[in-house]
Amino acid sequence: MNEYEKAECWKNCSPEQWDDWKWQIKNRIKSGEQLSKVIKLRVGEKEEIDECLKHFNMAITPYYASLIQADNPQCPIKKQAVPTIAELTVDPCDMADPLCEEKFSPVPGLVHRYPDRVLVVLTHKCSMYCRHCTRRRVVGCEDFSLGSAQLNAVISYIREHTVIRDVLLSGGDPLVMSDDWLENIIRKLRDIPHVEVIRIGTRTPVVLPMRITDGLLNMLKKYHPIWINTHFNHPLEITPESVKACQKIADAGIPLGNQSVLLEGVNNNVDTLKELFTKLVKMRVRPYYLYQCDVSKGIGHFRTNVAQGIDIMKHIRGYISGFAVPEYVIDAPGGGGKTPVNPEYIVKMDDSGVTLRNYEGKTYFYPNPPR
Ligand SMILES: *Cc1c(COP(=O)(O)O)cnc(C)c1O
Ligand code: SF4
């Protein structure tokens, strides 16, 4: 436990309880009433939250709730965790399933969009339900995890398709499940000779860092190469606890990447993202993607103009270490996949060569070899 203040309602919990991920999950905040005991809410805010909860779930771990700056109406932690009435506004462009994951799903729970890799949605549960979640059509709406028959169908599909060399376990958050449940799946995947890499997508290092136990890591280590991608969006999420979780993962030999989402009012400015990305590499987490926010229902208030995202990237690439700069991508609505959107660095290109614009806006010429 560290510098943050625990709310009154948790003052009696022991350090052992606080550091136990199962206690954190059991004590998640799921209603406006519970939240009002943890942070001071605006007049009418509790009612607003309850209205949203008729449509979407809320769950906030006590740990993540303790990071909320109650006196800051623009708190980036709060914006990611606490629903607002804006979620009930549906934009004309909104879609329930913008990435067409259902269309690309040959068997339930598996999405096969790219040639050599698949996504497996193991569960719809998460430890915290992010307000900006892309998969909010399913995540947190139903208490679903793949059953053994469905799991066998997923494993059979992967076994029969020898082109699949990379399996991405996602959800929901696979790490809300028990070590044994996960090991059962990972072992079966490891038994398939053409599966080279197993990846896990999880937000637990950010919202439930106590989930990263020695037991979990000792289990994962047996099945290398395992990669983990996590989801930090703001420097305030970098705490002694989350740093320690990432350190343990890296020490277990698991390369760690980060997938951020560009979110209006949370992190859509150069300084915040520069601080986030440089702090991540300091804790051995490689910024991997910066996502343009998807067109899922009820998250329009988080979306930014694409031109702004490109401009932000223009002020980041070249200014900080290359490996601290993620790829800015739009996951193309309609199922087009992740598509890089970059500032324009090529001014002109013909047979004679390429005129380049560098990060400072100066132009240079690279000559093509003569034919
Ligand atoms: C994001 C994603 C992947 C992984 O893509 P990478 O670019 O390799 O990280 C695989 N399948 C689906 C369906 C995805 O959405
Ligand atoms: S952790 Fe991921 S899947 Fe879960 S609510 Fe957040 S964004 Fe959605």
Side-chain angles (χ1 to χ4, degrees):
M1 262 176 292
N2 287 285
E3 59 257 43
Y4 51 72
E5 272 289 302
K6 270 194 295 175
E8 204 55 48
C9 58
W10 299 315
K11 280 274 158 51
N12 292 327
C13 95
S14 69
E16 290 72 31
Q17 283 175 315
W18 188 262
D19 291 337
D20 172 3
W21 67 276
K22 289 184 178 151
W23 182 91
Q24 289 277 341
I25 291 209
K26 213 181 316 156
N27 287 281
R28 290 180 304 175
I29 300 155
K30 293 183 159 174
S31 70
E33 180 61 31
Q34 283 173 306
L35 187 65
S36 69
K37 300 208 169 82
V38 177
I39 56 167
K40 197 169 161 358
L41 298 177
R42 275 184 280 111
V43 176
E45 194 173 4
K46 194 167 80 177
E47 293 68 26
E48 203 179 296
I49 291 168
D50 288 337
E51 191 56 37
C52 291
L53 296 191
K54 292 181 188 156
H55 304 266
F56 301 107
N57 272 350
M58 171 173 83
I60 313 171
T61 56
Y63 162 78
Y64 199 69
S66 69
L67 304 182
I68 295 176
Q69 303 167 317
D71 49 359
N72 175 6
Q74 299 300 324
C75 173
I77 304 287
K78 187 175 176 190
K79 284 187 181 178
Q80 293 182 68
V82 178
T84 62
I85 209 78
E87 291 187 20
L88 303 184
T89 308
V90 176
D91 285 351
C93 67
D94 286 356
M95 302 190 239
D97 178 17
L99 310 181
C100 288
E101 292 187 326
E102 272 143 41
K103 189 171 111 199
F104 286 89
S105 180
V107 290
L110 181 140
V111 186
H112 194 176
R113 188 194 315 284
Y114 297 106
D116 71 336
R117 55 206 186 281
V118 292
L119 168 83
V120 183
V121 178
L122 285 180
T123 173
H124 292 170
K125 297 180 205 168
C126 291
S127 50
M128 202 255 316
Y129 293 119
C130 310
R131 302 329 302 169
H132 55 274
C133 182
T134 290
R135 293 203 189 101
R136 58 190 353 228
R137 74 180 184 284
V138 288
V139 168
C141 294
E142 35 184 313
D143 209 17
F144 165 89
S145 301
L146 283 189
S148 56
Q150 290 165 310
L151 211 49
N152 287 339
V154 164
I155 300 282
S156 300
Y157 181 90
I158 296 171
R159 186 175 288 120
E160 284 157 20
H161 292 78
T162 54
V163 290
I164 300 170
R165 35 164 299 284
D166 174 5
V167 177
L168 166 48
L169 303 177
S170 181
D173 195 324
L175 295 193
V176 297
M177 307 303 284
S178 71
D179 295 357
D180 288 346
W181 193 88
L182 281 170
E183 180 165 18
N184 176 43
I185 296 163
I186 295 173
R187 190 192 309 114
K188 286 183 177 143
L189 289 171
R190 217 4 113 222
D191 275 346
I192 304 174
H194 56 267
V195 173
E196 295 170 5
V197 170
I198 299 170
R199 288 198 252 178
I200 300 173
T202 176
R203 210 178 178 199
T204 54
V206 185
V207 296
L208 183 70
M210 39 299 273
R211 175 63 183 100
I212 309 303
T213 59
D214 294 337
L216 172 71
L217 294 170
N218 288 334
M219 182 276 281
L220 293 176
K221 269 199 311 210
K222 293 190 275 176
Y223 302 97
H224 269 316
I226 302 269
W227 289 58
I228 288 184
N229 269 331
T230 189
H231 178 174
F232 284 89
N233 286 329
H234 195 279
L236 280 177
E237 293 168 336
I238 298 177
T239 64
E241 282 84 350
S242 62
V243 170
K244 188 169 142 220
C246 293
Q247 199 171 9
K248 289 176 76 160
I249 294 171
D251 286 346
I254 300 173
L256 254 168
N258 187 66
Q259 315 197 152
S260 304
V261 186
L262 188 61
L263 298 169
E264 169 66 41
V266 173
N267 61 9
N268 61 327
N269 68 78
V270 174
D271 289 342
T272 303
L273 288 178
K274 266 210 289 210
E275 183 185 348
L276 175 67
F277 299 152
T278 50
K279 284 192 166 158
L280 286 173
V281 296
K282 233 173 103 185
M283 53 204 262
R284 289 181 284 169
V285 180
R286 164 80 154 99
Y288 178 47
Y289 283 135
L290 173 67
Y291 287 100
Q292 176 67 18
C293 188
D294 287 321
V295 289
S296 303
K297 275 196 182 127
I299 62 174
H301 55 296
F302 282 123
R303 283 197 287 274
T304 54
N305 189 306
V306 179
Q308 188 195 42
I310 292 175
D311 193 58
I312 289 174
M313 290 310 294
K314 205 158 114 184
H315 290 92
I316 291 183
R317 174 159 310 278
Y319 292 90
I320 58 174
S321 313
F323 68 98
V325 182
E327 183 97 67
Y328 175 39
V329 294
I330 300 182
D331 215 335
K338 299 174 185 76
T339 308
V341 263
N342 279 312
E344 196 53 79
Y345 293 106
I346 296 180
V347 180
K348 180 167 171 270
M349 182 165 64
D350 58 26
D351 277 350
S352 68
V354 195
T355 305
L356 303 165
R357 185 183 291 118
N358 84 342
Y359 73 102
E360 298 165 306
K362 297 181 189 152
T363 52
Y364 297 85
F365 183 73
Y366 174 88
N368 273 328
R371 282 273 171 259

